[in-house]
Amino acid sequence: HFCEHMCFLGSEAYPKENEYKQYLSQHGGKSNASTSASHTTYQFDVLADYGQKALDIFSNFFIAPLFTMSGTEREVHAVDSENSKNLINDGRRRWQILKDLADKNHHFSKFSTGNKKTLPAAAVDSGDDSSPHTKEEGNSRLDGILRSINDGEYDEHDKATFVRAVLLAFHKRHYRPTNMTVVVVGPQTLDELESWVVPRFGRIPDRWLEKNEGTVEGATEEVAVEKWAKMQKAAAKLVNEAANDAPPVSINAEKKPSFCPSFRPQLQGGKWPILVTVLPLKSTRTLVLYFPLPPTWHVPDQSPTRILSHLFGHEGPGSAFALLQDTGLITSLSAGNRVSAPDQNLFQIQMSLTADGEENWKEVVRVLFSYGRLIRDYAKKSMSSHPGQAEDTTRAEYANLDPLRRIWDEVATLDRMRFDQTSPGHVYSFAPALAQSASKYGTTHCLSAGSLLNENGTTLPLQELMDFCEKIIPENCFVERCSKGAWAEAEASFKGNDPTKSNQFCFGKQTEKWYQVDYYVSPIDDEAVRGWNGDVDVECPYALHLPEPNRYIPRSLELCPDLPEDAKKGPRIEKPIEPPKLIVNNHATGRLWWRLDDRYALPKATLKFLIRTAKVEHRSTTGLQWEYDALTAMRSNFVTGIFADSLAQETYDADLAGLGWSLSKSSSGYTLSCHGYSDRLSHLALKLLSDFCSDSFIKETHFSSNQDKIVRGLESYFESRRADSLAVYYRDLLLTSRSGGVEENLEYAKGLSMKDIVDHHRSVWTDEGMFVECLYSGNVSSEEAKDFFEQAMGIIGTARSHLCEKSSQFRGWVPGPFERRLPTGEDFELHFQSKNAKEENGAVLVTYQSQTEGFKGKSLSSQESMRLSATIRLISTIMREPFFNELRTKQQLGYIVSSYYDLNFSSKQFSIPTDEVFPSTTPIDSIVLYVLSRNTKPTEVINRIDDFLMNFRSRIADMTSYEIQSFADSLADQLTKPIRKLGDEAGGHFSKIRRFAPEVVVDGSEIELEKLPWDNADVLAKCVRTLSREDILNVWDSLVLKTESRSRIVSYVYGNTFPMDIPLKIRSSNDVTGKVVNISTKEELLIKRRSLIPYEPNDKRGIFVRAVWEKHRTRVRYAAAAAAVVGVGLWGLTMMKRDQPKKKTN
């Protein structure tokens, strides 16, 4: 992991530490790296024209990295900071406990991140050793090595030097051509890409095989040659020893790894099952069953764990999940390999428990083992019925005779379909995934491994499945409970009986070595184990059974007949995207937008269905006014959560068959999103919409589990969040939130009843101002889209017909997102202490809000707005790398140092008179910078940030015209980069429809539709290319430097290392800070919030939008009057129209 960090810091060919990131930043690129148990993966992407030079810089990481002494000393701080941020992550803490339970002589047990204790090379920083850990035993070996090298004496510099020696030895031992796989993806020809790669990566030497006797590599002037030679020799020995215990990764390795489990009963007293109890930071109730199983690394398409995870993780009727959810014991369940290595698997079944499930966790486990026996019984029947796989037995015959073979055939069919019907992905994720796959499975199978392309019902690995089923038993299991309730039980059980420190295992409290996390290990009573083994008869009114055939598998994968033949031949990603067409435009009830996909050539579609209503987050007061109501918003959150839980079993097969869906709540209303194979998509969407319009999905079990989940999440919010997350929370509480914060939401969530949710759900449908925006995009004809929309509107109309008041007056306000406008000339500084007892880091988040409305479209915004938005984006692009390099690489303030461009929106708020409330959504441009730091006080971090910002102006002024144009061109190219996924394309279109259609579209005429900002990216890209140095400096001065014109919030959150001063030490106003408004309590924040005005457009509005809205108002009033005459509401008119017979067309 440390070597991964160090490779970025220059090479002999490119010695500047930031040369790689600087080049990528200047040419629209980004980079990252990660280290797992078996791989370190480096990745970057860059605009195609600059790939060759980027590859040259990149390849030199592995040819001749510098690994300087100064870089080594500084970068240890980065690794230590990365580790410190993980200390408060429940997932990381539980992972370390797993490692602590493992065999200490097994490679799995190793500490993989590192810190200043394990890498004692950190530069002296005022003598502060801020690591929370006690002195490690492992240092005794280091002491011995250094004493032998230095005749019994050594100092801290010798430690750092030896760490560098080990670093070089590690690179030499492992960064060898035979260990490396390079994947390059680009639009160039394969021959051209090969001509880039071979000459560069072909230069990587295999230093481990080279004979280097008598040579001393990597020596520095500060270290004597003889001492350095001894260090090299000791380091090489250390690295080589460490390399020998891990099995080979490639399935083509000469020596096949045998089953070598790191988890065994002998390690915990010799008898399983045992119970491991963990105290989480978040208020969760997690139950996990772990089973050590043989490795399946070498058989990605014939892995028994594949079908086991499918069956145990199934959520359909008859599954373990269905039984446990229906009885109110769990809210979620997943199954699969927690550890998948060449020499072992650790299979897990993980559940989130309800309060009843926590109390009856042993019953939950019993159900899981019952389901395991069910699978085992079916496997036995299959073995006895089909001892061999007769060649003349067809797949259909196997499917009819054998449920397990039918299920395996179904899994393989869906996997093949997914493999064949997937559009090209983003190269940034595709290339590293392919590199890892090639290193495991070789180049022949790297694309297809795990996709079951050659599998069917006749190829089920039945014997292996039977062998694995025999291991899904209590005697091969350890159970984890992770909750505060479980911890209290364990504490009470072992009160006054803590184990003594010895090499012998004993039950009781344990302490993990590296995170210092406490946990309990307990025996499980024999009676429970007998029940889990099925030795005790337990009445159960619910039947467990294997999944039924999946009725959502597509019947057809044909492309729409309306599609031109050219579009059917294959993907045309480079083809410009045409905007969706408005094909239904009902002024009173809704609009249907449609686009037939002509770019991806896939039988897929995406559906977005927005039910726009103020009643999702607002309440109606006297005089037909709307006002935001946090209680109403909380009720709507309950509705979406309950709906998801209620439909989980019903729609699980749809998810398996490639049909995904979600119901979300926003300030605009409820949005139903569906995506996947087009054949059954509309069927699923209509089913979901019909269920949502009824309140039958609101059941007590789902209400209780959601209330419990929401309340626990809010109760542990402050105690479990990282400092930078809290910094965002406090900033948004001032800037965008309209509630009283977590405390108010918690109070509301606790007080709700199921009747409140039913009443709220019914109330939503009474909103006479309700309006639907629907986008149907993909492999669907216009007639199919219209038919769906007609049925959908009929479902809503039926639901509303007996609820809406016919006399309701049209309310012309369109709800949407919200943000407050900051005053100019004031710096708001928010100071809060983290309530997370484990949080050592502090955070500083700086936000600059532009006071000129952002660019919304060439017909909806001024030239000034367009140029300002383009300039702010360009500034953020130019600043990203220097900010990171200065504060992270050089100053080592912390592991997380980032800056970015932020775009938010604010809609015109309701006001009196309503005639003045025409729809309007305003984009808001911001620049955000933040640092998470354990080694520097937050108030000092802001000084460093301010110093950087002051000096950055000189950097802009000194940039060459070529550099500025390079950044501008790369940003423009990124803005116009072709979209590669139908879902991303549809999401972009729908966001514009949701935000801007209400203020633009009435008739649906060409002139109106042209006003919608479909081409914003192209317009901004053209503008970016024309920006000058003067444009950049002017915006930088007014937005960032000039205290009289800027609008800034600084959000500080203090961790345990540097707690907040009480009383708070106020920063005085000066040329850098301007006028400072300090806020250090929630009460002060809410009082100040009330003085801020909504971020709404200035009075200089175009004639077009106001004229459109007046036309819209007139038409809807006319429709309302007509509806009143015939005695129905607006939606009633829609239903009457739908019921009329259709005219036949020739």
Side-chain angles (χ1 to χ4, degrees):
H1 183 221
F2 186 39
C3 187
E4 167 214 312
H5 275 245
M6 288 298 300
C7 277
F8 285 93
L9 300 183
S11 63
E12 290 180 8
Y14 298 95
K16 282 176 56 178
E17 286 189 342
N18 68 327
E19 191 149 1
Y20 174 63
K21 288 185 175 293
Q22 188 177 52
Y23 185 83
L24 294 179
S25 175
Q26 191 170 342
H27 299 293
K30 58 184 177 292
S31 67
N32 202 357
S34 61
T35 297
S36 66
S38 57
H39 291 83
T40 291
T41 305
Y42 298 83
Q43 65 192 95
F44 75 85
D45 72 358
V46 71
L47 294 172
D49 291 342
Y50 304 96
Q52 188 173 12
K53 174 67 179 294
L55 200 64
D56 195 59
I57 303 174
F58 180 73
S59 63
N60 275 277
F61 290 176
F62 316 111
I63 297 170
L66 287 182
F67 292 168
T68 63
M69 193 67 225
S70 63
T72 303
E73 292 175 338
R74 280 183 283 111
E75 200 61 23
V76 164
H77 286 289
V79 171
D80 192 63
S81 294
E82 182 177 356
N83 183 64
S84 72
K85 79 174 178 58
N86 297 335
L87 298 177
I88 60 169
N89 181 295
D90 277 330
R92 292 275 190 168
R93 293 162 70 87
R94 292 173 56 210
W95 179 246
Q96 286 302 130
I97 289 173
L98 273 183
K99 285 176 170 285
D100 203 52
L101 289 166
D103 185 348
K104 299 302 182 289
N105 295 317
H106 193 282
H107 61 88
F108 176 78
S109 68
K110 292 182 179 181
F111 178 43
S112 56
T113 309
N115 58 25
K116 286 196 290 189
K117 289 282 189 182
T118 65
L119 300 167
V124 178
D125 50 1
S126 71
D128 172 46
D129 182 3
S130 53
S131 174
H133 313 307
T134 58
K135 183 176 181 180
E136 301 298 339
E137 296 175 1
N139 284 345
S140 61
R141 184 171 187 187
L142 175 61
D143 293 343
I145 292 172
L146 291 175
R147 291 183 191 282
S148 67
I149 291 171
N150 293 279
D151 296 327
E153 295 183 2
Y154 69 92
D155 56 22
E156 294 301 310
H157 182 72
D158 289 327
K159 279 187 178 181
T161 304
F162 185 68
V163 168
R164 180 170 175 267
V166 176
L167 186 69
L168 289 166
F170 183 90
H171 190 276
K172 183 177 181 179
R173 174 68 175 79
H174 293 290
Y175 281 53
R176 305 162 59 190
T178 52
N179 286 355
M180 299 177 70
T181 302
V182 183
V183 171
V184 180
V185 184
Q188 293 82 1
T189 66
L190 293 180
D191 287 341
E192 184 176 2
L193 291 176
E194 187 175 358
S195 73
W196 292 3
V197 174
V198 173
R200 291 173 171 84
F201 287 88
R203 293 171 51 212
I204 299 175
D206 194 335
R207 298 181 182 86
W208 190 251
L209 297 180
E210 292 175 351
K211 300 297 183 181
N212 293 319
E213 287 84 355
T215 64
V216 181
E217 298 177 340
T220 61
E221 294 180 1
E222 294 83 3
V223 184
V225 172
E226 183 180 356
K227 179 191 288 188
W228 177 249
K230 290 181 180 179
M231 285 188 172
Q232 277 188 304
K233 186 175 180 179
K237 181 181 178 182
L238 199 63
V239 167
N240 198 35
E241 287 176 5
N244 288 332
D245 62 350
V249 169
S250 173
I251 64 169
N252 299 317
E254 292 182 10
K255 185 180 179 181
K256 303 296 183 186
S258 57
F259 181 29
C260 181
S262 59
F263 302 93
R264 301 188 303 278
Q266 294 78 8
L267 301 171
Q268 286 89 32
K271 182 182 178 182
W272 277 2
I274 56 168
L275 175 64
V276 178
T277 306
V278 183
L279 177 64
L281 299 179
K282 291 185 177 181
S283 185
T284 58
R285 296 193 200 97
T286 303
L287 177 68
V288 192
L289 278 63
Y290 295 102
F291 302 90
L293 296 176
T296 55
W297 186 279
H298 58 295
V299 284
D301 291 327
Q302 282 269 297
S303 171
T305 58
R306 182 65 183 276
I307 191 167
L308 284 174
S309 61
H310 175 81
L311 294 173
F312 275 110
H314 208 281
E315 297 181 8
S319 65
F321 169 82
L323 190 159
L324 294 168
Q325 187 196 42
D326 289 343
T327 52
L329 298 179
I330 71 171
T331 59
S332 69
L333 184 151
S334 63
N337 284 332
R338 183 67 178 95
V339 177
S340 179
D343 59 348
Q344 66 167 336
N345 279 337
L346 183 65
F347 187 76
Q348 71 169 20
I349 305 170
Q350 178 166 305
M351 294 147 284
S352 294
L353 302 179
T354 64
D356 286 344
E358 175 87 325
E359 187 174 339
N360 297 284
W361 68 272
K362 293 179 182 177
E363 171 63 14
V364 174
V365 176
R366 189 193 67 77
V367 170
L368 266 298
F369 279 117
S370 296
Y371 197 74
R373 288 195 298 276
L374 176 72
I375 299 171
R376 188 167 71 238
D377 290 344
Y378 270 102
K380 286 180 180 178
K381 290 179 183 178
S382 295
M383 292 283 289
S384 60
S385 302
H386 307 285
Q389 296 183 0
E391 294 182 1
D392 58 347
T393 305
T394 66
R395 290 170 57 191
E397 288 172 333
Y398 269 130
N400 291 329
L401 294 172
D402 190 332
L404 283 177
R405 294 183 187 275
R406 171 192 46 89
I407 292 168
W408 182 249
D409 187 80
E410 194 175 90
V411 170
T413 298
L414 291 171
D415 268 28
R416 278 195 307 276
M417 195 180 302
R418 190 178 301 114
F419 182 86
D420 292 334
Q421 306 296 337
T422 299
S423 57
H426 299 285
V427 295
Y428 191 62
S429 56
F430 175 72
L434 185 57
Q436 287 199 26
S437 184
S439 74
K440 294 179 188 176
Y441 308 119
T443 54
T444 303
H445 301 290
C446 60
L447 281 169
S448 61
S451 295
L452 311 186
L453 297 190
N454 299 309
E455 302 299 309
N456 56 55
T458 68
T459 64
L460 172 68
L462 193 54
Q463 182 61 59
E464 292 80 1
L465 175 62
M466 189 67 212
D467 294 342
F468 276 43
C469 285
E470 297 290 353
K471 296 181 184 298
I472 306 295
I473 57 175
E475 290 72 21
N476 188 49
C477 173
F478 61 98
V479 181
E480 177 194 1
R481 294 179 68 195
C482 180
S483 69
K484 295 180 179 178
W487 185 259
E489 291 178 28
E491 279 192 315
S493 175
F494 286 98
K495 188 174 182 180
N497 191 29
D498 284 345
T500 57
K501 298 294 181 182
S502 71
N503 293 326
Q504 296 290 326
F505 171 82
C506 54
F507 291 112
K509 183 183 281 190
Q510 320 286 324
T511 301
E512 185 276 330
K513 182 177 181 180
W514 301 107
Y515 280 38
Q516 294 290 289
V517 185
D518 291 334
Y519 64 97
Y520 282 96
V521 179
S522 316
I524 295 175
D525 62 275
D526 292 339
E527 183 179 357
V529 176
R530 286 196 298 273
W532 295 354
N533 275 314
D535 298 336
V536 179
D537 291 332
V538 179
E539 292 187 13
C540 181
Y542 301 93
L544 292 170
H545 59 79
L546 296 183
E548 298 293 337
N550 191 329
R551 65 187 186 279
Y552 283 101
I553 295 177
R555 298 158 296 187
S556 170
L557 297 175
E558 295 296 318
L559 296 178
C560 179
D562 296 350
L563 202 60
E565 288 302 316
D566 285 350
K568 296 180 181 179
K569 294 179 181 178
R572 303 188 299 176
I573 302 299
E574 302 300 323
K575 185 182 183 298
I577 300 174
E578 296 179 5
K581 297 177 180 178
L582 180 61
I583 59 175
V584 175
N585 186 24
N586 187 315
H587 308 297
T589 56
R591 288 185 283 253
L592 170 63
W593 305 79
W594 163 79
R595 171 169 148 69
L596 175 61
D597 166 47
D598 58 353
R599 299 177 72 243
Y600 306 101
L602 293 173
K604 295 184 176 182
T606 295
L607 176 69
K608 302 282 188 180
F609 197 90
L610 168 63
I611 303 171
R612 199 188 293 271
T613 169
K615 285 201 169 187
V616 166
E617 289 192 346
H618 300 77
R619 64 187 180 94
S620 179
T621 63
T622 57
L624 300 178
Q625 298 182 45
W626 290 109
E627 67 179 20
Y628 176 83
D629 181 50
L631 178 57
T632 299
M634 179 58 68
R635 288 168 174 161
S636 296
N637 284 332
F638 268 68
V639 168
T640 58
I642 292 170
F643 187 70
D645 285 355
S646 176
L647 273 291
Q649 296 179 35
E650 175 70 22
T651 62
Y652 186 74
D653 273 348
D655 181 66
L656 291 177
L659 290 174
W661 71 273
S662 66
L663 179 75
S664 59
K665 182 223 78 173
S666 70
S667 53
S668 300
Y670 289 117
T671 300
L672 175 65
S673 300
C674 300
H675 60 88
Y677 297 110
S678 53
D679 179 49
R680 298 184 187 269
L681 188 69
S682 61
H683 169 75
L684 173 65
L686 290 171
K687 156 70 177 168
L688 292 167
L689 188 60
S690 178
D691 287 348
F692 184 58
C693 287
S694 163
D695 58 19
S696 60
F697 69 88
I698 305 175
K699 295 183 172 64
E700 183 62 44
T701 53
H702 301 314
F703 167 78
S704 298
S705 64
N706 271 273
Q707 185 175 46
D708 174 65
K709 184 165 48 180
I710 290 171
V711 166
R712 284 187 292 112
L714 292 170
E715 284 178 335
S716 65
Y717 185 88
F718 294 110
E719 289 77 17
S720 61
R721 288 299 190 277
R722 221 168 61 185
D724 50 341
S725 174
L726 291 174
V728 173
Y729 166 78
Y730 288 117
R731 182 210 49 194
D732 290 349
L733 188 61
L734 177 68
L735 201 57
T736 62
S737 174
R738 285 177 285 182
S739 76
V742 166
E743 299 87 350
E744 180 184 72
N745 290 332
L746 176 59
E747 181 182 349
Y748 286 147
K750 284 181 174 179
L752 286 174
S753 67
M754 180 173 149
K755 182 178 183 301
D756 293 328
I757 306 305
V758 173
D759 292 345
H760 170 67
H761 180 261
R762 291 178 178 175
S763 172
V764 167
W765 302 110
T766 66
D767 178 12
E768 194 65 21
M770 180 180 287
F771 193 83
V772 168
E773 296 278 11
C774 178
L775 171 65
Y776 209 158
S777 181
N779 187 49
V780 58
S781 70
S782 60
E783 289 305 312
E784 289 171 327
K786 287 178 181 178
D787 182 62
F788 162 79
F789 190 67
E790 186 176 348
Q791 293 185 64
M793 299 304 281
I795 290 170
I796 295 178
T798 300
R800 290 167 52 83
S801 61
H802 64 282
L803 293 174
C804 286
E805 301 176 10
K806 296 183 176 66
S807 60
S808 292
Q809 180 183 339
F810 168 72
R811 303 175 186 184
W813 177 56
V814 179
F818 174 74
E819 184 164 323
R820 297 176 181 86
R821 186 185 286 271
L822 294 173
T824 57
E826 290 183 344
D827 283 3
F828 289 95
E829 301 209 342
L830 317 178
H831 300 265
F832 290 92
Q833 176 67 42
S834 171
K835 297 178 183 178
N836 187 334
K838 303 291 185 179
E839 178 59 283
E840 299 172 349
N841 292 283
V844 177
L845 177 83
V846 185
T847 303
Y848 292 93
Q849 183 193 71
S850 172
Q851 292 308 298
T852 300
E853 293 83 31
F855 178 67
K856 62 200 298 185
K858 60 186 176 185
S859 300
L860 304 174
S861 298
S862 65
Q863 285 287 314
E864 176 193 9
S865 172
M866 177 179 66
R867 293 191 69 80
L868 182 68
S869 286
T871 306
I872 293 175
R873 289 170 186 259
L874 181 56
I875 286 173
S876 298
T877 300
I878 296 172
M879 182 173 62
R880 187 177 301 119
E881 188 280 328
F883 182 69
F884 180 90
N885 183 56
E886 179 61 35
L887 274 66
R888 159 69 161 74
T889 304
K890 293 182 179 179
Q891 298 187 29
Q892 285 292 337
L893 291 190
Y895 176 68
I896 296 182
V897 175
S898 182
S899 64
Y900 57 91
Y901 164 79
D902 199 19
L903 177 63
N904 293 301
F905 297 87
S906 187
S907 295
K908 193 168 182 65
Q909 299 304 295
F910 186 86
S911 61
I912 299 295
T914 55
D915 287 344
E916 293 299 317
V917 187
F918 53 83
S920 175
T921 297
T922 305
I924 306 166
D925 299 310
S926 298
I927 290 178
V928 181
L929 310 94
Y930 72 100
V931 174
L932 183 73
S933 177
R934 186 177 68 166
N935 54 37
T936 307
K937 195 172 185 177
T939 48
E940 174 57 25
V941 170
I942 190 60
N943 291 333
R944 308 278 189 94
I945 293 175
D946 281 338
D947 287 344
F948 170 83
L949 296 175
M950 289 291 290
N951 294 327
F952 188 65
R953 190 188 196 283
S954 300
R955 181 186 179 91
I956 297 172
D958 293 340
M959 288 175 69
T960 65
S961 298
Y962 172 79
E963 286 179 301
I964 292 174
Q965 194 60 51
S966 293
F967 278 110
D969 289 342
S970 71
L971 175 57
D973 288 342
Q974 288 180 78
L975 287 169
T976 56
K977 186 184 296 184
I979 294 174
R980 309 189 68 86
K981 294 286 185 180
L982 175 62
D984 295 339
E985 177 189 304
H989 283 149
F990 194 67
S991 66
K992 293 179 173 64
I993 291 169
R994 185 180 73 247
R995 292 173 184 136
F996 303 123
E999 65 185 88
V1000 173
V1001 180
V1002 176
D1003 292 330
S1005 63
E1006 288 297 323
I1007 190 172
E1008 289 178 357
L1009 296 181
E1010 287 177 359
K1011 304 291 182 182
L1012 277 169
W1014 306 116
D1015 60 349
N1016 263 14
D1018 294 320
V1019 174
L1020 280 170
K1022 290 178 182 177
C1023 181
V1024 165
R1025 295 185 195 273
T1026 68
L1027 296 175
S1028 67
R1029 185 194 320 277
E1030 185 179 3
D1031 293 324
I1032 298 171
L1033 289 173
N1034 287 339
V1035 172
W1036 181 256
D1037 289 342
S1038 63
L1039 180 67
V1040 176
L1041 291 191
K1042 291 184 178 178
T1043 57
E1044 67 274 13
S1045 63
R1046 75 183 183 194
S1047 299
R1048 175 167 110 154
I1049 300 178
V1050 182
S1051 183
Y1052 304 84
V1053 172
Y1054 299 81
N1056 296 334
T1057 307
F1058 296 103
M1060 187 170 79
D1061 293 322
I1062 298 177
L1064 185 67
K1065 294 180 180 178
I1066 304 297
R1067 283 218 300 169
S1068 58
S1069 300
N1070 53 51
D1071 292 340
V1072 176
T1073 63
K1075 180 183 177 183
V1076 177
V1077 178
N1078 283 284
I1079 296 172
S1080 57
T1081 67
K1082 178 188 166 187
E1083 291 71 26
E1084 292 175 348
L1085 187 150
L1086 295 179
I1087 291 171
K1088 190 62 184 179
R1089 192 174 82 175
R1090 288 194 286 271
S1091 69
L1092 303 180
I1093 62 174
Y1095 198 118
E1096 294 184 351
N1098 294 322
D1099 294 333
K1100 299 175 182 179
R1101 294 288 297 163
I1103 297 174
F1104 174 78
V1105 173
R1106 191 178 291 274
V1108 165
W1109 182 241
E1110 289 303 325
K1111 191 193 318 184
H1112 179 58
R1113 184 183 299 281
T1114 301
R1115 294 205 171 190
V1116 175
R1117 283 175 173 164
Y1118 174 79
V1125 169
V1126 298
V1128 298
L1130 294 171
W1131 289 76
L1133 278 178
T1134 303
M1135 293 181 64
M1136 290 173 64
K1137 181 177 179 181
R1138 175 173 174 263
D1139 292 338
Q1140 292 175 359
K1142 296 180 180 178
K1143 293 182 180 180
K1144 292 184 178 180
T1145 57
N1146 294 326

